[in-house]
Amino acid sequence: MALRRLQALRADLPSSIVVFLVALPLCLGIALASGAPLFSGVIAGIVGGIVVGALSRSHLSVSGPAAGLTVIVLAAIERLPSFEAFLLAVMLAGVLQIALAATRSGIAAEFVPFSVITGMLAAIGLILILKQVPHALGYQGDFDGSFEFFQADGSNTFTAIITAIRQHLSPGAMLIALVSLAFLFWWDNARPTSGPLRFVPGPLVVVLIGVGGNALLGILRPSWQLGAAHLVQVPVAATPGKFASFFTTPDFSQIDNGAVWTTALTLAIVASLESLLSVKAVDALDPKRRTTPKNWELMAQGGGNIISGLIGGLPITSVIVRSSANVDAGGQSKTSTMLHGLWLLLSVALIPVLLNFIPLAALAAVLIATGYKLTKPKLFIDRYRQGWTQFLPFVITSAAILFTDLLIGIVIGLVVGFIFVVARNFRPAITYVCDEADCLIRARRNLYFIHKYELQSKLDKVPTSANLLIDLSSTNYVDLDNVEVINAFIEGAKYRDISVTVRGDIAERSAPLINAPISEVRFA
């Protein structure tokens, strides 16, 4: 056991550094887009790592502030009397999430079609690449972690790239991003399998390349050196007291404010949905295919939001970008998640000045590489080979998320996915053949309400004076509506001189057939 834990720690330690480097700009960017203090995003990242990581039973999921909540958070902060009132709503949202866990609402995640989950992963990969290209080129028009197609500055995902190329090209950012990307893809193939170098995370080297490269540009080509607008911008506290002031408590006097409760309910529902879908997706990415208890995850997320709200943080969800980075970096257990939260806390408390030397172009390269691994061409090929009933929901979900935002796209994907699920279940479930007076009606699978019309139409074809065999031996369940259809046919069969034989002991598996005279019905 001790050896296994040591082996896991060897994988979790470098993985936690990768997740930390991915999470840092996302925490700051999401806070900026939400109209909240920058440090509130960092607090949410810390709590998501340490608190939710400790409470959760997910091995690889990473929680923190989510881009999918930025519109809701921005509107709530503008509507409520103060940011402290919003923090109260975050805390209450956590309480409501625990209530959802107690009512076992997490089971809803098990009904999401797999094609929708993979479509979400592919879309997030595409969005990561497209959204980070402007940052890699030197254009900071949209915040890090954005998933919306239409951006706050009036552009969209594609026009932002065009604008970056035409008006905001930065040779220094491009050089750092290209060198970083080249190293990351080379490192994936060339990383040693033995020796201490095998534990070195590629993104950490990329950060060092970015910091060192930018300093070198200042010496060799000052006009190419990146300024503060192109670097990480962590709030810097001059004293421990100033650092403590970054943490804020809720305004409990707003507990009777209806708008606070409305915000809390909205946050609880949306954050729970995003968390459940993210955890479901992470389970699909897990090489060991471990399964996360969904109701327990809701409880963990609720506990995280209570703590985040109490100390000044944004609402928390399980986040697929950080989680997929964790999987890709080789994380083995939730130790990686908790350590990434610890690195966030220690770094902003002890070395914020050093963090502010990291070029955003280097971090953009890390996110682009992560996005590529989520949306490799092989993923599309595999879904296509599974047939149109899998491929179309997959593609539609991906396109919907890409051209709207994460939450709207997921809703569209769920609707399309369920339509295909229902359509598959409407395929003929009942076989009817008739050879002169001998007829057979066979159920090829369990019969539910949606099969009622099909069963009735087959029974209507049985001619007068026929010998009918109703074969239910392949079913494990026949629901009451279909039983009543069979019952009604048996009642009327004696008036049409039809002999009915029922094969299959469904009396033990569903409601019994009616008490028709035994001489009229034979059970085989």
Side-chain angles (χ1 to χ4, degrees), residues 18 23 25 150 178-179 235 262 268 292 304 406 422 473:
V18 174
F150 294 103
L178 287 173
V179 172
T262 301
T292 301
L406 185 60
V422 172
S473 58

Side-chain angles (χ1 to χ4, degrees), residues 48 69 73 94 105 118 140 201 215 218 231 234 252 287 297 342 369 391 408 430:
L69 296 177
V73 172
S105 300
T118 54
Q140 314 301 332
L231 305 176
V234 175
F252 289 98
E297 184 64 23
L342 180 63
F391 185 66
I408 294 176
I430 301 170

Side-chain angles (χ1 to χ4, degrees), residues 241-319:
K242 179 65 175 177
F243 181 74
S245 70
F246 291 156
F247 296 85
T248 311
T249 56
D251 181 2
F252 289 98
S253 68
Q254 295 292 321
I255 192 70
D256 58 348
N257 187 333
V260 168
W261 284 96
T262 301
T263 301
L265 180 60
T266 303
L267 289 173
I269 293 173
V270 177
S272 297
L273 173 62
E274 186 165 344
S275 292
L276 290 173
L277 290 176
S278 293
V279 167
K280 186 80 173 174
V282 175
D283 287 348
L285 292 174
D286 184 359
K288 297 182 180 180
R289 291 298 187 268
R290 292 165 290 190
T291 303
T292 301
K294 305 305 185 298
N295 292 305
W296 191 276
E297 184 64 23
L298 281 182
M299 185 278 296
Q301 296 293 332
N305 276 315
I306 290 174
I307 300 300
S308 186
L310 280 173
I311 62 176
L314 293 177
I316 293 169
T317 75
S318 172
V319 189

Side-chain angles (χ1 to χ4, degrees), residues 194-241:
S194 61
L197 285 179
R198 73 182 188 275
F199 298 116
V200 176
L204 178 59
V205 178
V206 161
V207 166
L208 298 177
I209 290 173
V211 173
N214 196 42
L216 190 60
L217 287 175
I219 299 172
L220 302 179
R221 198 68 179 264
S223 61
W224 285 18
Q225 187 178 31
L226 301 177
H230 300 279
L231 305 176
V232 170
Q233 297 181 30
V234 175
V236 178
T239 64

Side-chain angles (χ1 to χ4, degrees), residues 61-102:
S61 174
V62 182
S63 297
L69 296 177
T70 52
V71 175
I72 297 172
V73 172
L74 179 62
I77 290 175
E78 291 177 346
R79 183 173 66 253
L80 295 176
S82 63
F83 181 66
E84 289 73 17
F86 171 74
L87 294 178
L88 178 62
V90 175
M91 192 195 76
L92 293 174
V95 174
L96 292 174
Q97 285 183 293
I98 293 177
L100 289 174

